[in-house]
Structure formats: structure tokens, C-alpha cells
Amino acid sequence: MYVLRCADDSLYCGITTDIERRLKEHNGSPKGAKYTRARRPVTLLFSYSCESRSIATRLELKFKSLQRHQKLQLLSEKNFDALL
């Protein structure tokens, strides 16, 4: 699971097995998410390694359900285990 900061200061959360490849796609490829294509460049704020894709998906959904100030607080604390 990873979190990006977009050029407009919005946050984007996703999951991948190769963070470097995915970041390059977000910044310069048509394979980047539609959301980030309009908000380039993006920078990696945080990545979190999960045991399985299902855990990463659950974590992503929980993160996306938070309000912006809660997301920023979680990112500053770097305690994503609290969401599991």
C-alpha cells in the first residue's frame, strides 16, 4: 500500500507489488491512475508492506474512509498497524 501527494496537495492511496514502477507510471505513463494524471507530479509520502494483497486492499479501504486530517495524522505517526 502506498500514499502519494499530488501537485494540488491532494492525497492518493493505492496498492502495488512494485512501488518504483508504479510511481513512474503515475508520473509519466498513460498507465497511471486517471486521478493522478491530472495532478502531476506526484511524490511518494509513505509505503507500507503487507503480507498479502487482501490485507493491503483492506488497509487501503480503511485509509480512504478517513477524513483528510485523520490521514495526515496517521501519516505523521506512521502507525498503519492501527488500521488493521
Side-chain angles (χ1 to χ4, degrees):
M1 192 203 85
Y2 62 95
V3 180
L4 304 175
R5 181 180 305 275
C6 299
D8 66 355
D9 204 36
S10 62
L11 299 175
Y12 176 86
C13 180
I15 59 174
T16 186
T17 56
D18 184 348
I19 191 69
E20 294 301 321
R21 173 192 51 82
R22 192 66 180 130
L23 187 57
K24 287 178 186 175
E25 288 174 352
H26 280 299
N27 275 316
S29 166
K31 293 182 180 180
K34 187 176 180 179
Y35 183 86
T36 60
R37 269 185 265 152
R39 293 166 173 82
R40 291 177 177 163
V42 299
T43 55
L44 181 65
L45 281 183
F46 187 75
S47 65
Y48 186 83
S49 182
C50 298
E51 293 178 18
S52 68
R53 186 171 187 87
S54 64
I55 292 172
T57 301
R58 278 187 278 154
L59 189 60
E60 176 190 20
L61 290 173
K62 286 182 181 181
F63 183 81
K64 286 180 174 182
S65 71
L66 298 174
Q67 294 178 354
R68 181 177 171 83
H69 74 277
Q70 293 171 312
K71 292 175 184 178
L72 294 173
Q73 181 179 358
L74 189 63
L75 288 167
S76 70
E77 294 171 356
K78 295 184 179 9
N79 184 16
F80 276 73
D81 290 329
L83 289 179
L84 296 175

